[in-house]
Amino acid sequence: MKMEDVKQVLKKHDIQPTNQRVIILNYLMNNYDHPSCDKIYDELSAIYPIMNRATIYNSLNLFVEKGILSPIYLNDKCRYEIKKPGHGHFICQECQKITDFSVNLNNSYSLDGYEVLNTDITFRGICPLCLEKKKEE
Ligand SMILES: [Zn+2]
Ligand SMILES: [Zn+2]
């Protein structure tokens, strides 16, 4: 995605596209690994020494508030991803890896009369790689 497109996304969500916000959002749009705030800081500050933790933290909160990002809470830590409906998360309790899987939101969930604003579907367990490791032990 081009920086100009990232700026448009920010503007569309009523966010002033400062350089640092553009860099942070661009990073998230190209990272599908549900990074934590610490990881985002580590990777961005290595490339852009002007990045500081507070700016990243505040930007992430703003992006969540404006509906660009979804937070995923995992062991008291927060991970982030671009908001996209129709997928759930499988969290491996061994390696903490988060895997996306598609969810059919057209199924009826007996919520007649409710307005659903957010879906947060999380399954926990052990991923195939860790299951394989366990077998070898
Ligand atoms: Zn695993
Ligand atoms: Zn996801």
Side-chain angles (χ1 to χ4, degrees), residues 73-78:
Y73 298 98
L74 174 63
N75 300 339
D76 298 337
K77 286 217 167 170
C78 195

Side-chain angles (χ1 to χ4, degrees), residues 94-113:
E94 301 286 323
C95 68
Q96 316 292 311
K97 186 176 164 51
I98 301 178
T99 309
D100 288 340
F101 62 89
S102 54
V103 171
N104 185 354
L105 292 174
N106 297 322
N107 285 347
S108 59
Y109 291 104
S110 56
L111 285 168
D112 283 348

Side-chain angles (χ1 to χ4, degrees), residues 92 95 127 130:
C92 176
C95 68
C127 75
C130 290

Side-chain angles (χ1 to χ4, degrees), residues 34 72 81 84 87-89 98-100:
H34 310 87
I72 306 155
E81 70 177 343
K84 50 176 193 259
H87 84 282
H89 292 122
I98 301 178
T99 309
D100 288 340

Side-chain angles (χ1 to χ4, degrees), residues 37-53:
C37 186
D38 288 342
K39 186 172 177 209
I40 297 168
Y41 171 74
D42 287 346
E43 297 204 345
L44 286 183
S45 63
I47 311 169
Y48 307 98
I50 48 151
M51 278 288 167
N52 66 67
R53 218 174 264 275

